[in-house]
Amino acid sequence: MHVQEWLETVPPLSIYLLVGVVIGLESLGIPLPGEIILVSSALLASQHGDINPFILGACATAGAIIGDSIGYAIGRKGGRPLLAKLGRRFPKHFSESNIAVAERSFDRWGMWAVFFGRFIALLRIFAGPLAGVLQMPYWRFLTANVLGGILWAGGTTAVIYYVGVVAEAWLKRFSWLGLVLAVLIGATSMLVIKRKAKKAAEKAESPEGELVPAAE
């Protein structure tokens, strides 16, 4: 069963909680499909009036900010031994090469690595714990965390919801052609945002602006 189909069987209140919890756990440092859940839920909200997009966006934003803050506190207390432990538990995500890439991003960009990290799956998992391990001042972390959480979670919800509403309206008037065009416009907008964020991260990873390849 696809995520979209499964979510249709879940009550609205449970969807709000699910989105907040999954995104919160992902931001805390646990590899979970937070973005997939958020996009699927926002699209579902555009098709069903009983799911409020404002509440959905607020839950996603709260989960992102709170999860990152908890991750920061854990990272600050656990230090580098925590990264080693995570590497053994999640070798695919917390490998030494991935940690090195994230550290270079933080060294060069500081709080902006937390902000832009929201739009990049790898940094979204690393941002909170790594900022704590590297002893980033909490006020700087919190500023980037809040702004990034609002823009990523709230922005993603708004864009996907709007695309879904437009797609449904076009579908009634122009059949499948309207749906295809609406989805392409929405997907292109999201890809442009994520590509800009990725380029910013790539510049942070290497003084020459070249991406440092991760070890296989």
Side-chain angles (χ1 to χ4, degrees), residues 101-178:
V101 168
E103 283 188 320
R104 283 195 292 272
S105 298
F106 271 74
D107 287 340
R108 183 165 184 178
W109 286 80
M111 62 185 291
W112 293 110
V114 177
F115 178 83
F116 286 116
R118 280 292 174 197
F119 301 90
I120 304 172
L122 177 63
L123 286 181
R124 189 159 58 245
I125 298 172
F126 272 111
L130 190 56
V133 170
L134 298 178
Q135 303 289 307
M136 177 182 289
Y138 183 69
W139 70 268
R140 298 182 63 193
F141 167 79
L142 183 62
T143 300
N145 179 26
V146 171
L147 293 178
I150 293 174
L151 183 60
W152 176 73
T156 298
T157 302
V159 170
I160 298 301
Y161 177 81
Y162 178 74
V163 168
V165 171
V166 171
E168 187 174 7
W170 283 11
L171 180 59
K172 292 178 180 178
R173 297 176 58 186
F174 304 109
S175 187
W176 287 99
L177 178 60

Side-chain angles (χ1 to χ4, degrees), residues 11-21 50-53 55-57 59-60:
L13 178 60
S14 298
I15 291 180
Y16 300 144
L17 294 175
L18 177 68
V19 168
V21 170
D50 52 350
I51 301 176
N52 190 310
I55 297 178
L56 182 65
C59 289

Side-chain angles (χ1 to χ4, degrees), residues 21-34 67 71 74 86 89-90 93-94 121 124-126 129:
V21 170
V22 171
I23 291 178
L25 291 176
E26 182 189 37
S27 301
L28 190 152
I30 300 176
L32 290 175
I74 293 175
L86 289 173
R89 190 172 184 83
F90 304 106
H93 297 86
F94 288 89
R124 189 159 58 245
I125 298 172
F126 272 111

